[in-house]
Amino acid sequence: TYKWTLKKETCFIAFYYVLLYNVRRLVIRMHKIEVARENELEEFHNIIMSRCKWLEEKKVNQWKVTSYPIRYNINYFRENINNLYIIKDDKEVLGGFLLKEADEKYWSDSSLVDAYYIHHFATKLNTNGLGKMLILFAINKAKEDNKEYLRLDCVAHNKKLNEYYQELGFKYSGVIQIKNWSENLWQIKL
């Protein structure tokens, strides 16, 4: 009995220290995904700009700092605010995406297929896991709205990003040529 009690206490103490250690390391942040508000547009645009700079630093030829945030400026997002979804905690905007009902530029069958199309998908740097949360939200939103597919495009030469979408369950649907680059098309059948 003594040995069992000692082992039980030792296990309890070890569990307590593991729990205490993990609680000290754990920072609980609640995240909320919702349609963006006017006062959050600048924060989201800054995330886009930050990602453009990061891509440039990583030598990834995508989302050019000199053009992307200018073409897709705050006014562009203001015009599409009802379809701009953001993820935030109690302090700040951490990422988001634009959810469109059509995308003729990239998907030739866009008018024939009932789908949502993700664009401008970005999160703040060093916020691991938020992209997956946003994609899961988009999947659920598409299902709730009885869409047949959730679709997106991705520059073909960004191997890591293409692998990321594949890991999230997207299936390769083809490639298209736009000006001097190629875009891979990805979709999830719902």
Side-chain angles (χ1 to χ4, degrees), residues 1 18 25-26 39-40 44 59 68 76 78 80 86 106-107 113 118 134 142-143 148 157 167-168 170 173 179-180:
T1 307
V18 168
R25 287 185 23 213
L26 182 65
N39 64 340
E40 296 165 329
F44 181 69
K59 308 244 186 286
Y68 196 89
Y76 168 83
R78 185 175 290 118
N80 293 284
I86 55 146
Y106 296 104
W107 296 82
V113 177
I118 295 176
L134 284 167
K143 284 180 180 178
E148 189 178 351
H157 65 263
E167 288 169 9
L168 290 175
F170 285 87
S173 298
K179 295 183 183 176
N180 58 351

Side-chain angles (χ1 to χ4, degrees), residues 4-67:
W4 182 83
T5 307
L6 182 62
K7 285 183 180 178
K8 183 179 173 185
E9 289 174 351
T10 304
C11 288
F12 177 76
I13 290 169
F15 173 75
Y16 173 77
Y17 281 114
V18 168
L19 182 64
L20 185 62
Y21 174 75
N22 286 326
V23 168
R24 285 183 183 158
R25 287 185 23 213
L26 182 65
V27 177
I28 299 174
R29 293 174 83 174
M30 298 299 291
H31 297 102
K32 184 178 186 179
I33 300 173
E34 62 186 12
V35 173
R37 296 187 180 120
E38 175 72 29
N39 64 340
E40 296 165 329
L41 293 176
E42 188 173 341
E43 277 185 274
F44 181 69
H45 194 260
N46 288 340
I47 291 169
I48 295 282
M49 179 62 97
S50 166
R51 278 296 175 176
C52 290
K53 290 177 183 174
W54 180 82
L55 286 164
E56 192 173 88
E57 289 168 9
K58 298 285 182 187
K59 308 244 186 286
V60 177
N61 188 15
Q62 179 182 343
W63 286 20
K64 299 278 188 200
V65 172
T66 55
S67 61

